[in-house]
Amino acid sequence: LPPGTRLGSRYAIRDVLGIGGSSVVYAADDSRTSRAVAVKVLRPDRSTEAALVRFRHEAAVARAVDCPHLVRALDYAEGPPAYLTMELARGGSLRHALKDGPLPVAAAIDIAEQVLCALSVLHDRAIVHCDVKPGNILVDADGRILLGDFGLACPTNARLETDGNKSVIGTLEYLAPEQALGLAVDARTDLYALGMVLFEMLSG
């Protein structure tokens, strides 16, 4: 969407923050609250009924959980286009921070502890995130860590299924074996992925 595009007559698009397999995330201005927000918009070329169902599910999970280390959902609409507005993490993502190499040990431990707080809230609600990776670990302006993107989140002991094919769901480099094999996932699936992230933070 070009800068200046308005969604729901309320959100004015500023620029692109990131592009995923099924959506684009933009920085936008909320005319009602006069604050900056992040807006996740379902891509028109990915707007299948199955993608819309997943998008609704993501919005539902984001609105159902409350934790200072989970990205807060603010608004949802099905448009077209379908979009989800969230709080804006002004410090970018951990993926961006790792471009310069490994982090100091103390910083890596602090980030991991904050992500564990977020995962604890999800796991207490029997929700598995299923996509813990540096691109989904965000940094707020005050250094607070936020875990975002609940597009793959599912109930504990569920199996992730695609649109009738056998492709693996998730990000390959961070997949726990059970997720890669299409078996039931649980809290350990997220802990495995976080272990991979921690290794990456320490080793570069």
Short mmCIF file of all heavy atoms in Angstrom, two decimals, residues 25-90:
data_model
loop_
_atom_site.label_atom_id
_atom_site.label_comp_id
_atom_site.label_asym_id
_atom_site.label_seq_id
_atom_site.Cartn_x
_atom_site.Cartn_y
_atom_site.Cartn_z
N VAL A 25 3.39 -5.83 7.04
CA VAL A 25 3.22 -5.02 8.25
C VAL A 25 3.70 -3.60 7.96
O VAL A 25 4.81 -3.40 7.45
CB VAL A 25 4.00 -5.61 9.44
CG1 VAL A 25 3.81 -4.74 10.68
CG2 VAL A 25 3.54 -7.03 9.72
N TYR A 26 2.84 -2.64 8.27
CA TYR A 26 3.14 -1.23 8.02
C TYR A 26 3.16 -0.45 9.34
O TYR A 26 2.49 -0.81 10.30
CB TYR A 26 2.05 -0.59 7.15
CG TYR A 26 1.85 -1.21 5.80
CD1 TYR A 26 0.95 -2.26 5.61
CD2 TYR A 26 2.56 -0.74 4.68
CE1 TYR A 26 0.75 -2.83 4.37
CE2 TYR A 26 2.36 -1.30 3.43
CZ TYR A 26 1.46 -2.34 3.28
OH TYR A 26 1.25 -2.90 2.04
N ALA A 27 3.91 0.65 9.34
CA ALA A 27 3.75 1.67 10.37
C ALA A 27 2.64 2.60 9.89
O ALA A 27 2.56 2.92 8.71
CB ALA A 27 5.04 2.45 10.57
N ALA A 28 1.78 3.00 10.80
CA ALA A 28 0.65 3.85 10.42
C ALA A 28 0.32 4.80 11.56
O ALA A 28 0.72 4.60 12.71
CB ALA A 28 -0.57 2.99 10.08
N ASP A 29 -0.42 5.85 11.22
CA ASP A 29 -0.89 6.81 12.22
C ASP A 29 -2.38 6.59 12.46
O ASP A 29 -3.16 6.49 11.51
CB ASP A 29 -0.65 8.24 11.74
CG ASP A 29 0.83 8.56 11.63
OD1 ASP A 29 1.57 8.25 12.58
OD2 ASP A 29 1.26 9.11 10.59
N ASP A 30 -2.75 6.50 13.73
CA ASP A 30 -4.15 6.33 14.12
C ASP A 30 -4.75 7.72 14.36
O ASP A 30 -4.39 8.39 15.33
CB ASP A 30 -4.22 5.48 15.38
CG ASP A 30 -5.65 5.20 15.84
OD1 ASP A 30 -6.58 5.82 15.30
OD2 ASP A 30 -5.82 4.37 16.74
N SER A 31 -5.65 8.15 13.49
CA SER A 31 -6.22 9.50 13.61
C SER A 31 -7.10 9.65 14.84
O SER A 31 -7.31 10.75 15.33
CB SER A 31 -7.02 9.84 12.35
OG SER A 31 -8.10 8.93 12.19
N ARG A 32 -7.62 8.54 15.37
CA ARG A 32 -8.51 8.61 16.52
C ARG A 32 -7.74 8.83 17.82
O ARG A 32 -8.22 9.52 18.72
CB ARG A 32 -9.37 7.35 16.60
CG ARG A 32 -10.50 7.43 17.61
CD ARG A 32 -11.40 6.22 17.53
NE ARG A 32 -12.02 6.08 16.21
CZ ARG A 32 -12.76 5.04 15.85
NH1 ARG A 32 -12.97 4.05 16.70
NH2 ARG A 32 -13.29 4.98 14.63
N THR A 33 -6.56 8.22 17.91
CA THR A 33 -5.79 8.33 19.15
C THR A 33 -4.53 9.18 19.00
O THR A 33 -3.84 9.44 19.98
CB THR A 33 -5.37 6.94 19.64
OG1 THR A 33 -4.52 6.33 18.64
CG2 THR A 33 -6.58 6.05 19.87
N SER A 34 -4.23 9.59 17.75
CA SER A 34 -3.04 10.40 17.46
C SER A 34 -1.75 9.70 17.88
O SER A 34 -0.81 10.34 18.38
CB SER A 34 -3.13 11.77 18.13
OG SER A 34 -4.26 12.48 17.67
N ARG A 35 -1.70 8.39 17.69
CA ARG A 35 -0.47 7.68 18.00
C ARG A 35 -0.11 6.75 16.86
O ARG A 35 -0.96 6.39 16.03
CB ARG A 35 -0.61 6.89 19.30
CG ARG A 35 -1.57 5.73 19.25
CD ARG A 35 -1.57 5.00 20.59
NE ARG A 35 -2.52 3.90 20.61
CZ ARG A 35 -2.71 3.12 21.66
NH1 ARG A 35 -2.02 3.32 22.76
NH2 ARG A 35 -3.60 2.13 21.62
N ALA A 36 1.15 6.36 16.82
CA ALA A 36 1.62 5.45 15.79
C ALA A 36 1.29 4.01 16.17
O ALA A 36 1.37 3.64 17.35
CB ALA A 36 3.12 5.61 15.60
N VAL A 37 0.93 3.21 15.19
CA VAL A 37 0.60 1.80 15.40
C VAL A 37 1.24 0.97 14.30
O VAL A 37 1.71 1.51 13.29
CB VAL A 37 -0.94 1.57 15.41
CG1 VAL A 37 -1.59 2.28 16.57
CG2 VAL A 37 -1.55 2.00 14.07
N ALA A 38 1.24 -0.33 14.50
CA ALA A 38 1.63 -1.26 13.44
C ALA A 38 0.35 -1.87 12.88
O ALA A 38 -0.57 -2.21 13.63
CB ALA A 38 2.54 -2.35 14.00
N VAL A 39 0.27 -1.99 11.57
CA VAL A 39 -0.90 -2.57 10.92
C VAL A 39 -0.46 -3.75 10.05
O VAL A 39 0.36 -3.59 9.15
CB VAL A 39 -1.64 -1.54 10.03
CG1 VAL A 39 -2.89 -2.16 9.43
CG2 VAL A 39 -1.99 -0.29 10.82
N LYS A 40 -0.98 -4.92 10.37
CA LYS A 40 -0.69 -6.12 9.58
C LYS A 40 -1.83 -6.33 8.59
O LYS A 40 -2.99 -6.49 8.99
CB LYS A 40 -0.55 -7.33 10.51
CG LYS A 40 -0.08 -8.60 9.81
CD LYS A 40 0.21 -9.69 10.84
CE LYS A 40 0.84 -10.91 10.19
NZ LYS A 40 1.20 -11.94 11.20
N VAL A 41 -1.51 -6.31 7.31
CA VAL A 41 -2.52 -6.38 6.25
C VAL A 41 -2.35 -7.68 5.47
O VAL A 41 -1.23 -8.01 5.02
CB VAL A 41 -2.40 -5.17 5.29
CG1 VAL A 41 -3.46 -5.25 4.20
CG2 VAL A 41 -2.52 -3.87 6.06
N LEU A 42 -3.43 -8.42 5.31
CA LEU A 42 -3.39 -9.65 4.54
C LEU A 42 -3.15 -9.33 3.07
O LEU A 42 -3.85 -8.49 2.49
CB LEU A 42 -4.71 -10.41 4.71
CG LEU A 42 -4.77 -11.85 4.17
CD1 LEU A 42 -3.77 -12.74 4.91
CD2 LEU A 42 -6.18 -12.41 4.34
N ARG A 43 -2.16 -9.95 2.47
CA ARG A 43 -1.82 -9.68 1.07
C ARG A 43 -2.95 -10.14 0.14
O ARG A 43 -3.48 -11.25 0.31
CB ARG A 43 -0.53 -10.39 0.70
CG ARG A 43 0.70 -9.81 1.34
CD ARG A 43 1.93 -10.66 1.15
NE ARG A 43 2.11 -11.12 -0.22
CZ ARG A 43 3.15 -11.86 -0.61
NH1 ARG A 43 4.08 -12.21 0.27
NH2 ARG A 43 3.27 -12.23 -1.86
N PRO A 44 -3.32 -9.31 -0.84
CA PRO A 44 -4.40 -9.69 -1.77
C PRO A 44 -4.11 -11.00 -2.50
O PRO A 44 -5.03 -11.80 -2.75
CB PRO A 44 -4.46 -8.51 -2.75
CG PRO A 44 -3.88 -7.37 -1.99
CD PRO A 44 -2.83 -7.95 -1.09
N ASP A 45 -2.83 -11.25 -2.83
CA ASP A 45 -2.50 -12.48 -3.56
C ASP A 45 -2.46 -13.70 -2.65
O ASP A 45 -2.22 -14.81 -3.12
CB ASP A 45 -1.15 -12.33 -4.27
CG ASP A 45 -0.01 -12.03 -3.32
OD1 ASP A 45 -0.26 -11.44 -2.26
OD2 ASP A 45 1.13 -12.40 -3.64
N ARG A 46 -2.71 -13.51 -1.35
CA ARG A 46 -2.74 -14.63 -0.40
C ARG A 46 -4.10 -14.71 0.31
O ARG A 46 -4.24 -15.46 1.26
CB ARG A 46 -1.64 -14.47 0.66
CG ARG A 46 -0.23 -14.49 0.11
CD ARG A 46 0.16 -15.88 -0.36
NE ARG A 46 1.58 -15.98 -0.63
CZ ARG A 46 2.15 -15.69 -1.78
NH1 ARG A 46 1.39 -15.26 -2.78
NH2 ARG A 46 3.45 -15.81 -1.95
N SER A 47 -5.07 -13.98 -0.18
CA SER A 47 -6.36 -13.88 0.52
C SER A 47 -7.30 -15.04 0.18
O SER A 47 -8.39 -14.84 -0.35
CB SER A 47 -7.03 -12.53 0.19
OG SER A 47 -6.27 -11.47 0.70
N THR A 48 -6.86 -16.24 0.52
CA THR A 48 -7.74 -17.40 0.38
C THR A 48 -8.61 -17.50 1.63
O THR A 48 -8.34 -16.84 2.64
CB THR A 48 -6.92 -18.68 0.22
OG1 THR A 48 -6.15 -18.88 1.43
CG2 THR A 48 -5.97 -18.59 -0.97
N GLU A 49 -9.63 -18.33 1.58
CA GLU A 49 -10.48 -18.51 2.75
C GLU A 49 -9.67 -19.08 3.91
O GLU A 49 -9.85 -18.68 5.06
CB GLU A 49 -11.64 -19.44 2.42
CG GLU A 49 -12.63 -19.62 3.55
CD GLU A 49 -13.24 -18.30 4.05
OE1 GLU A 49 -13.44 -17.38 3.23
OE2 GLU A 49 -13.50 -18.20 5.27
N ALA A 50 -8.75 -20.00 3.61
CA ALA A 50 -7.92 -20.59 4.66
C ALA A 50 -7.02 -19.53 5.30
O ALA A 50 -6.83 -19.50 6.52
CB ALA A 50 -7.08 -21.73 4.10
N ALA A 51 -6.46 -18.62 4.48
CA ALA A 51 -5.60 -17.56 5.01
C ALA A 51 -6.40 -16.61 5.88
O ALA A 51 -5.92 -16.15 6.91
CB ALA A 51 -4.94 -16.80 3.86
N LEU A 52 -7.64 -16.34 5.48
CA LEU A 52 -8.49 -15.45 6.27
C LEU A 52 -8.85 -16.09 7.61
O LEU A 52 -8.89 -15.41 8.64
CB LEU A 52 -9.76 -15.11 5.48
CG LEU A 52 -10.67 -14.03 6.09
CD1 LEU A 52 -9.90 -12.75 6.32
CD2 LEU A 52 -11.86 -13.78 5.18
N VAL A 53 -9.09 -17.40 7.60
CA VAL A 53 -9.38 -18.11 8.85
C VAL A 53 -8.19 -18.01 9.80
O VAL A 53 -8.34 -17.74 11.00
CB VAL A 53 -9.72 -19.59 8.57
CG1 VAL A 53 -9.73 -20.39 9.87
CG2 VAL A 53 -11.07 -19.69 7.88
N ARG A 54 -6.97 -18.20 9.27
CA ARG A 54 -5.77 -18.08 10.10
C ARG A 54 -5.60 -16.66 10.63
O ARG A 54 -5.18 -16.45 11.77
CB ARG A 54 -4.52 -18.50 9.31
CG ARG A 54 -4.39 -20.01 9.11
CD ARG A 54 -2.98 -20.39 8.70
NE ARG A 54 -2.62 -19.78 7.42
CZ ARG A 54 -2.84 -20.33 6.24
NH1 ARG A 54 -3.43 -21.52 6.17
NH2 ARG A 54 -2.46 -19.73 5.14
N PHE A 55 -5.93 -15.68 9.78
CA PHE A 55 -5.81 -14.28 10.18
C PHE A 55 -6.78 -13.96 11.31
O PHE A 55 -6.43 -13.27 12.27
CB PHE A 55 -6.07 -13.39 8.96
CG PHE A 55 -5.41 -12.04 9.03
CD1 PHE A 55 -4.04 -11.93 9.16
CD2 PHE A 55 -6.16 -10.88 8.94
CE1 PHE A 55 -3.42 -10.69 9.22
CE2 PHE A 55 -5.55 -9.63 9.01
CZ PHE A 55 -4.18 -9.53 9.14
N ARG A 56 -8.00 -14.46 11.20
CA ARG A 56 -8.98 -14.27 12.28
C ARG A 56 -8.49 -14.91 13.57
O ARG A 56 -8.64 -14.35 14.66
CB ARG A 56 -10.32 -14.90 11.89
CG ARG A 56 -11.11 -14.18 10.81
CD ARG A 56 -12.36 -14.96 10.49
NE ARG A 56 -13.04 -14.45 9.33
CZ ARG A 56 -13.66 -15.22 8.43
NH1 ARG A 56 -13.66 -16.53 8.59
NH2 ARG A 56 -14.27 -14.67 7.41
N HIS A 57 -7.91 -16.09 13.42
CA HIS A 57 -7.39 -16.81 14.59
C HIS A 57 -6.27 -16.02 15.24
O HIS A 57 -6.22 -15.90 16.48
CB HIS A 57 -6.89 -18.19 14.16
CG HIS A 57 -6.18 -18.95 15.25
ND1 HIS A 57 -6.83 -19.46 16.34
CD2 HIS A 57 -4.86 -19.24 15.42
CE1 HIS A 57 -5.96 -20.05 17.14
NE2 HIS A 57 -4.76 -19.94 16.60
N GLU A 58 -5.38 -15.46 14.43
CA GLU A 58 -4.28 -14.65 14.98
C GLU A 58 -4.83 -13.48 15.77
O GLU A 58 -4.36 -13.18 16.88
CB GLU A 58 -3.38 -14.15 13.84
CG GLU A 58 -2.27 -13.25 14.34
CD GLU A 58 -1.33 -12.79 13.25
OE1 GLU A 58 -1.54 -13.14 12.08
OE2 GLU A 58 -0.36 -12.07 13.58
N ALA A 59 -5.83 -12.80 15.21
CA ALA A 59 -6.43 -11.65 15.90
C ALA A 59 -7.06 -12.09 17.21
O ALA A 59 -6.93 -11.41 18.23
CB ALA A 59 -7.47 -10.99 15.00
N ALA A 60 -7.72 -13.24 17.20
CA ALA A 60 -8.38 -13.74 18.41
C ALA A 60 -7.37 -14.06 19.49
O ALA A 60 -7.57 -13.72 20.68
CB ALA A 60 -9.22 -14.97 18.08
N VAL A 61 -6.25 -14.71 19.14
CA VAL A 61 -5.22 -15.04 20.12
C VAL A 61 -4.60 -13.77 20.68
O VAL A 61 -4.42 -13.63 21.89
CB VAL A 61 -4.13 -15.93 19.48
CG1 VAL A 61 -2.94 -16.09 20.44
CG2 VAL A 61 -4.70 -17.30 19.12
N ALA A 62 -4.29 -12.81 19.80
CA ALA A 62 -3.64 -11.58 20.23
C ALA A 62 -4.52 -10.78 21.19
O ALA A 62 -4.02 -10.10 22.09
CB ALA A 62 -3.28 -10.73 19.02
N ARG A 63 -5.83 -10.88 21.02
CA ARG A 63 -6.73 -10.13 21.88
C ARG A 63 -7.07 -10.90 23.17
O ARG A 63 -7.55 -10.30 24.14
CB ARG A 63 -8.02 -9.80 21.12
CG ARG A 63 -7.78 -8.92 19.92
CD ARG A 63 -9.03 -8.69 19.11
NE ARG A 63 -9.64 -7.40 19.45
CZ ARG A 63 -10.60 -6.84 18.74
NH1 ARG A 63 -11.08 -7.42 17.67
NH2 ARG A 63 -11.10 -5.68 19.10
N ALA A 64 -6.81 -12.19 23.18
CA ALA A 64 -7.18 -13.01 24.33
C ALA A 64 -6.11 -13.04 25.41
O ALA A 64 -6.40 -13.37 26.56
CB ALA A 64 -7.49 -14.44 23.88
N VAL A 65 -4.88 -12.73 25.04
CA VAL A 65 -3.78 -12.81 26.01
C VAL A 65 -3.35 -11.40 26.43
O VAL A 65 -3.42 -10.46 25.65
CB VAL A 65 -2.58 -13.58 25.43
CG1 VAL A 65 -2.94 -15.03 25.22
CG2 VAL A 65 -2.09 -12.95 24.14
N ASP A 66 -2.93 -11.29 27.67
CA ASP A 66 -2.51 -9.99 28.20
C ASP A 66 -1.21 -10.17 28.96
O ASP A 66 -1.17 -10.86 29.98
CB ASP A 66 -3.60 -9.42 29.11
CG ASP A 66 -3.24 -8.02 29.61
OD1 ASP A 66 -2.42 -7.36 28.96
OD2 ASP A 66 -3.78 -7.61 30.66
N CYS A 67 -0.15 -9.59 28.42
CA CYS A 67 1.16 -9.72 29.04
C CYS A 67 2.02 -8.57 28.53
O CYS A 67 1.96 -8.24 27.34
CB CYS A 67 1.79 -11.07 28.66
SG CYS A 67 3.53 -11.24 29.14
N PRO A 68 2.83 -7.94 29.38
CA PRO A 68 3.67 -6.84 28.91
C PRO A 68 4.72 -7.25 27.89
O PRO A 68 5.34 -6.39 27.27
CB PRO A 68 4.32 -6.31 30.20
CG PRO A 68 4.18 -7.41 31.19
CD PRO A 68 2.94 -8.15 30.82
N HIS A 69 4.90 -8.56 27.70
CA HIS A 69 5.89 -9.03 26.73
C HIS A 69 5.25 -9.71 25.52
O HIS A 69 5.93 -10.38 24.74
CB HIS A 69 6.87 -9.97 27.41
CG HIS A 69 7.65 -9.30 28.51
ND1 HIS A 69 8.56 -8.29 28.27
CD2 HIS A 69 7.62 -9.47 29.86
CE1 HIS A 69 9.07 -7.88 29.41
NE2 HIS A 69 8.52 -8.57 30.39
N LEU A 70 3.96 -9.53 25.35
CA LEU A 70 3.26 -9.98 24.14
C LEU A 70 2.69 -8.75 23.43
O LEU A 70 2.15 -7.86 24.07
CB LEU A 70 2.11 -10.94 24.50
CG LEU A 70 2.51 -12.32 25.00
CD1 LEU A 70 1.29 -13.05 25.57
CD2 LEU A 70 3.14 -13.14 23.88
N VAL A 71 2.85 -8.70 22.12
CA VAL A 71 2.33 -7.57 21.35
C VAL A 71 0.82 -7.49 21.53
O VAL A 71 0.11 -8.48 21.36
CB VAL A 71 2.68 -7.72 19.85
CG1 VAL A 71 1.99 -6.65 19.03
CG2 VAL A 71 4.19 -7.64 19.65
N ARG A 72 0.32 -6.30 21.87
CA ARG A 72 -1.12 -6.12 22.09
C ARG A 72 -1.83 -5.84 20.77
O ARG A 72 -1.40 -5.02 19.97
CB ARG A 72 -1.37 -4.95 23.04
CG ARG A 72 -1.10 -5.24 24.49
CD ARG A 72 -1.56 -4.11 25.37
NE ARG A 72 -0.97 -2.84 24.98
CZ ARG A 72 -1.67 -1.75 24.69
NH1 ARG A 72 -2.99 -1.78 24.70
NH2 ARG A 72 -1.07 -0.62 24.36
N ALA A 73 -2.94 -6.53 20.57
CA ALA A 73 -3.81 -6.24 19.42
C ALA A 73 -4.74 -5.10 19.79
O ALA A 73 -5.27 -5.06 20.91
CB ALA A 73 -4.60 -7.48 19.04
N LEU A 74 -4.96 -4.17 18.87
CA LEU A 74 -5.80 -3.02 19.14
C LEU A 74 -7.10 -3.04 18.37
O LEU A 74 -8.15 -2.64 18.89
CB LEU A 74 -5.02 -1.73 18.79
CG LEU A 74 -3.66 -1.57 19.49
CD1 LEU A 74 -2.92 -0.37 18.91
CD2 LEU A 74 -3.86 -1.42 20.99
N ASP A 75 -7.07 -3.50 17.13
CA ASP A 75 -8.26 -3.42 16.28
C ASP A 75 -8.15 -4.47 15.19
O ASP A 75 -7.04 -4.87 14.81
CB ASP A 75 -8.34 -2.01 15.66
CG ASP A 75 -9.69 -1.73 15.01
OD1 ASP A 75 -10.63 -2.51 15.23
OD2 ASP A 75 -9.78 -0.72 14.27
N TYR A 76 -9.29 -4.92 14.70
CA TYR A 76 -9.31 -5.91 13.61
C TYR A 76 -10.50 -5.63 12.70
O TYR A 76 -11.59 -5.30 13.17
CB TYR A 76 -9.43 -7.33 14.19
CG TYR A 76 -9.60 -8.40 13.12
CD1 TYR A 76 -8.54 -8.77 12.32
CD2 TYR A 76 -10.84 -9.01 12.93
CE1 TYR A 76 -8.70 -9.74 11.33
CE2 TYR A 76 -10.99 -9.99 11.94
CZ TYR A 76 -9.93 -10.34 11.15
OH TYR A 76 -10.08 -11.29 10.18
N ALA A 77 -10.27 -5.75 11.40
CA ALA A 77 -11.35 -5.57 10.43
C ALA A 77 -11.07 -6.43 9.22
O ALA A 77 -9.91 -6.72 8.89
CB ALA A 77 -11.48 -4.10 10.02
N GLU A 78 -12.12 -6.85 8.54
CA GLU A 78 -11.94 -7.74 7.40
C GLU A 78 -12.03 -7.01 6.06
O GLU A 78 -11.95 -7.63 5.02
CB GLU A 78 -12.94 -8.89 7.47
CG GLU A 78 -12.70 -9.74 8.69
CD GLU A 78 -13.22 -11.16 8.56
OE1 GLU A 78 -13.98 -11.44 7.64
OE2 GLU A 78 -12.83 -11.99 9.41
N GLY A 79 -12.15 -5.68 6.12
CA GLY A 79 -12.02 -4.87 4.91
C GLY A 79 -12.98 -5.21 3.79
O GLY A 79 -14.18 -5.26 4.07
N PRO A 80 -12.53 -5.45 2.57
CA PRO A 80 -11.12 -5.69 2.23
C PRO A 80 -10.30 -4.41 2.18
O PRO A 80 -10.87 -3.37 1.91
CB PRO A 80 -11.20 -6.35 0.85
CG PRO A 80 -12.48 -5.83 0.26
CD PRO A 80 -13.42 -5.61 1.40
N PRO A 81 -8.97 -4.57 2.45
CA PRO A 81 -8.29 -5.79 2.87
C PRO A 81 -8.49 -6.06 4.37
O PRO A 81 -8.79 -5.13 5.13
CB PRO A 81 -6.82 -5.48 2.57
CG PRO A 81 -6.73 -4.01 2.82
CD PRO A 81 -8.03 -3.43 2.33
N ALA A 82 -8.29 -7.31 4.75
CA ALA A 82 -8.34 -7.64 6.18
C ALA A 82 -7.08 -7.10 6.84
O ALA A 82 -5.97 -7.19 6.29
CB ALA A 82 -8.41 -9.15 6.36
N TYR A 83 -7.24 -6.51 8.03
CA TYR A 83 -6.06 -5.98 8.71
C TYR A 83 -6.22 -6.09 10.22
O TYR A 83 -7.34 -6.15 10.75
CB TYR A 83 -5.80 -4.52 8.31
CG TYR A 83 -6.87 -3.53 8.69
CD1 TYR A 83 -6.88 -2.92 9.94
CD2 TYR A 83 -7.88 -3.20 7.79
CE1 TYR A 83 -7.86 -2.00 10.29
CE2 TYR A 83 -8.87 -2.28 8.13
CZ TYR A 83 -8.85 -1.69 9.37
OH TYR A 83 -9.84 -0.79 9.72
N LEU A 84 -5.07 -6.12 10.89
CA LEU A 84 -4.99 -6.21 12.34
C LEU A 84 -4.04 -5.11 12.81
O LEU A 84 -2.91 -5.02 12.33
CB LEU A 84 -4.44 -7.58 12.75
CG LEU A 84 -4.07 -7.81 14.22
CD1 LEU A 84 -5.30 -7.74 15.10
CD2 LEU A 84 -3.38 -9.16 14.38
N THR A 85 -4.50 -4.23 13.70
CA THR A 85 -3.63 -3.19 14.22
C THR A 85 -3.10 -3.60 15.59
O THR A 85 -3.79 -4.22 16.39
CB THR A 85 -4.35 -1.84 14.33
OG1 THR A 85 -5.44 -1.96 15.24
CG2 THR A 85 -4.87 -1.39 12.98
N MET A 86 -1.83 -3.26 15.83
CA MET A 86 -1.13 -3.66 17.05
C MET A 86 -0.29 -2.51 17.56
O MET A 86 -0.03 -1.54 16.83
CB MET A 86 -0.23 -4.86 16.74
CG MET A 86 -0.95 -6.05 16.14
SD MET A 86 0.21 -7.23 15.39
CE MET A 86 0.71 -6.32 13.92
N GLU A 87 0.17 -2.63 18.79
CA GLU A 87 1.10 -1.63 19.30
C GLU A 87 2.38 -1.69 18.48
O GLU A 87 2.78 -2.75 18.00
CB GLU A 87 1.39 -1.85 20.78
CG GLU A 87 2.08 -3.14 21.13
CD GLU A 87 2.37 -3.26 22.62
OE1 GLU A 87 2.89 -2.30 23.21
OE2 GLU A 87 2.08 -4.32 23.19
N LEU A 88 3.01 -0.55 18.31
CA LEU A 88 4.21 -0.44 17.49
C LEU A 88 5.45 -0.56 18.35
O LEU A 88 5.62 0.19 19.32
CB LEU A 88 4.21 0.90 16.75
CG LEU A 88 5.42 1.20 15.87
CD1 LEU A 88 5.50 0.21 14.71
CD2 LEU A 88 5.35 2.63 15.35
N ALA A 89 6.30 -1.54 18.04
CA ALA A 89 7.58 -1.69 18.73
C ALA A 89 8.60 -0.82 18.00
O ALA A 89 9.02 -1.14 16.89
CB ALA A 89 8.01 -3.15 18.73
N ARG A 90 8.99 0.27 18.62
CA ARG A 90 9.80 1.28 17.93
C ARG A 90 11.27 0.90 17.76
O ARG A 90 11.99 1.53 16.99
CB ARG A 90 9.69 2.61 18.68
CG ARG A 90 8.27 3.16 18.72
CD ARG A 90 8.19 4.45 19.48
NE ARG A 90 6.82 4.95 19.55
CZ ARG A 90 6.25 5.69 18.61
NH1 ARG A 90 6.94 6.00 17.53
NH2 ARG A 90 5.01 6.11 18.74
#
